[in-house]
Amino acid sequence: MDQDYFLPPEDQRVFGAGISRKRVQFVRSSDHELNTTTTTNRSSSVPVTPGPSIADRYLSIVLSKETNPPNQSQTNPNFNPEVHSAPTSPAPSHCDICNLPLTDDSSLASIEDRPHEASLAHQVCLSHSHPPSHLDRTRHGLRYLSAFGWDPDSRLGLGAPGREGIREPLKGKLKVDTVGLGAGKEDTDENGGRKTKVIPAPVKVQKLNAKQVRKGHSDARKRGVKLREMFYQSDDVLKYLGGA
Amino acid sequence: MVDRSDSEGGSRVKRQKMDKSNTDPRDNPYLAHMYPDTSNSLIDKDSPFANVKRHETTAAQAKKIEDGDVNPFSSQPFSSKYFSILKTRRDLPVHVQRDEFLELYQKSQILVFVGETGSGKTTQIPQFVLFDDLPQTQRKMVACTQPRRVAAMSVAQRVAAEMDVKLGEEVGYSIRFEDMTGPKTVLKYMTDGMLLREAMNDHNLNRYSTIILDEAHERTMATDVLMGLLKEVVLRRPDLKIIIMSATLDAQKFQRYFNDAPLLAVPGRTHPVEIFYTPEPEQDYVEAAIRTVLQIHATEGDGDILLFLTGEEEIEDASRKISLEADEMVREVDAGPLKVYPLYGSLPPHMQQRIFDPAPGPRRPGGRPGRKVIVSTNIAETSLTIDGIVYVVDPGFSKQKIYNPRIRVESLLVSPISKASAQQRAGRAGRTRPGKCFRLYTEGAFKKELIDQTYPEILRSNLSSTVLELKKLGIDDLVHFDLMDPPAPETLMRALEELNYLACLDDEGSLTQLGRLASEFPLDPALAVMLISSPEFYCSNEILSITALLSVPQVFVRPASQRKRADEMKNLFAHPDGDQLTMLNVYHAFKGPEAQENPKQWCHDHFLSLRSLQSADNVRMQLQRIMEREELDMISTPFEDKKYYENIRRALCAGFFMQIAKKESQGKNMYTTIKDNQSVLLHPSTVLGWEAEWVLYNEFVLTTKNYIRTITAVKPEWLLDIAPNYYDISTFQKGEIRSALLRAAERLSRKEKMRADSGKRR
């Protein structure tokens, strides 16, 4: 079911309204902070070092000349131990979050070419943080429910724990015609992709009386004259006629 | 809203006096359940029950007592009629499994019982329980709830006959506005709403030893709340036994809900039903339904037809068309005669009874047999059982209530039915012999478009009266209250807010004095609050009449053939300020000597519904009794006073201040509802004689256009005065409504200032 149907525009809260209630969870990266920008370096950490990388070059330009541009010899001992610090010591263990073995195998790392936390498997297993609920936090009813421990951002309905109910009110659909069940929709068959033809309901023909018909005709004629004037009337001719 | 401390104090004194005068509560029959006897000492030695032990009886023992000479409940000899009924009772499918039932019943506190229609569960199971539970020895009762008033009454009558006792003595019933029980009652049929009301004053339901919730599959609001409540009560009362009776497939859901209670299933007595679908979706289900009925009549063997449609208008229209076509068929191809009976809730009872007439016979001896067609809403799906139906035509729609808490509108919408309901409808064809069900949709649509179960009422309704009831039941934690299908948080929030504005709940959410009083009335909280505050406006008599009139079906009748005449008659009673006042005029005229001479004729002449007016009269009497009990004054402004009608309109505002619309400056006749900002039109039925700036409405009707119905003109000053919390101007967004309210506030303060000034001068 479409859970978030017609959110009333005035109830739309500024994004971030519920952030103080539900913190966005972060996992500490096992790498050095800067690492995200210099991941390419890690591959070079193995044997071949083709001189300073582009990032290093960039830093050397941006940073003042006094500070040493971070070169290979400094960075490598800096973060290599850190990469291994989290998973290291007690043998290759499993990641807490995705339950996959953490390999410090350099060969694998070179294939993957990125830290374990960046792997798809790990990312999928991270708990997703949802945007906060649209409910107006100042509502009296919400205050009551919150007092009894209901969290609007929890994406849970009411009811006994483990048997929560619906989260959004049921929606009704107004039906004013007598079209039968299943009709009026494009019904594609699995086999042939056959579409049932939707026959439009016969349009009610409105009958006019003589007066209305006459009026219609005269209106049409007037409209015609007006159009002709707009297209074909030229000032020269008018002037000529008027002058004549 | 008002200081009631005086009257409160007064009533307390009175009650204390009464307590003192009551010497021994043990003698009070109403308190009998509080002093149970554990032994069977209440039973005479020669009573048939003397030799059986409670909760250890068997079917054989019960049979022996039933076959005896003396009625074990009334101690009178059995009549001959009793034995003839007994014989038919023993043929019912449930009877075979009596031992099995007793075993499970004795073993477990909660039991789920599944019996299809026709198994005899509603009449027999409570009697099985009586013979084992022996509630009379505990000075308690067995209760059996029904979702509908009519069912409670008719079943009680039937069971009284089966047990050979007088209705209202050992077997009785209790429904809203009618109590048919006595001190000797041991088995009480009642509506589920009634049991809920009793629970409000007796949280543990101490008067009952066994509670049977019948037709639980219908999932009415009251049954759902009762189930949640009983789940808590059984923990506090280990001696209380509960039986949940359901007629359908989803029994496992009940079982799981009641912590895996044991389940007993009894097969019904049904015949196979062949089901047909259409190969293609139908473009017009009404037309398809009519053609199907005529086709059955022309080609199928004899047997009656049941056609399900959605509403009164559709049913009347289809009935007329079927009759016309059938007449033609009789003339042209010598088909058998066809009789068509419409059936819907607002049809008068004698017209409803006609559906039980036998089908017409052949037109001439040896001709083709006749047939009857019943065109019905879904009341024929569960509530009414009509024998002789062999063919069912099911277009797959019914009118269902739905509540939108965002705009606070409850509406009846034509919606697709559920799979369960479709099966129930089909089952109606197999009551007497194998039947056929013609579904006017494809098998694919059945599988894909229909939901499994109809949504329970609690998910589709405004919850304000339920929340008030729950609060009165002592349930504060509405978040974790264990309902089978908890409602959406927004719906509950709306209800809490509405009750807060009505001052039934305070800002902390606890029940106020007014809320407690309002819960005494079997009314919507807004109506109850209006009634309670009416003495402040010196018009409680009039508001009581209006409340009663608003609680019954429409009093004005407008037959399609005589609309003009009906409108003329309605205009005789019209009050320019609105429909509620017009209804009041009608009621006063109805109670007048001229009308009372021959009410039936008078109502007929004036296009009024006698039945509605009579039931309004009855409801008014019942409500008046409650008002007197709660010591609310019955007063009226003298009719000659020019404020007579104004006072009534003000009093209406006290309950309906949340249902107000203001005229839009642009757009002809367009109004905007306050706070919800919905564009609405005044319903064409209104008598309101002028384009009032502010109107109060009773009902929001959702069709292609939004209408408000039953309208009274009001003034914004009254609203600011009566409901300052709701009309807190600072909470309104900039716009027409806000500026109009500001102007009204200014007028109000100027007036007050003038009054104060003139007071000083004196």
Side-chain angles (χ1 to χ4, degrees), chain B residues 148-150 152-153 173-180 189-195 197 469 520-524 527 547-548 550-553 615 618-619 622-623 626:
Chain B
R148 280 171 301 275
R149 296 157 52 90
V150 185
M153 277 156 57
Y173 66 86
S174 171
I175 58 179
R176 185 166 91 148
F177 300 139
E178 198 176 340
D179 185 14
M180 188 72 168
Y189 283 90
M190 60 206 304
T191 53
D192 44 12
M194 259 336 265
L195 186 61
R197 299 229 123 238
E469 277 165 1
E520 292 294 323
F521 291 90
L523 292 170
D524 192 69
L527 280 173
T547 307
L550 291 175
S551 320
V552 299
S615 60
N618 183 28
V619 169
Q622 305 289 341
L623 291 174
I626 301 176

Side-chain angles (χ1 to χ4, degrees), chain B residues 144-198:
Chain B
C144 180
T145 67
Q146 297 291 321
R148 280 171 301 275
R149 296 157 52 90
V150 185
M153 277 156 57
S154 58
V155 173
Q157 200 163 13
R158 168 74 193 174
V159 171
E162 286 186 1
M163 288 173 57
D164 206 14
V165 296
K166 209 170 150 240
L167 182 64
E169 297 279 316
E170 283 79 6
V171 177
Y173 66 86
S174 171
I175 58 179
R176 185 166 91 148
F177 300 139
E178 198 176 340
D179 185 14
M180 188 72 168
T181 58
K184 279 198 278 180
T185 302
V186 287
L187 172 58
K188 180 155 134 186
Y189 283 90
M190 60 206 304
T191 53
D192 44 12
M194 259 336 265
L195 186 61
L196 198 57
R197 299 229 123 238
E198 285 189 9

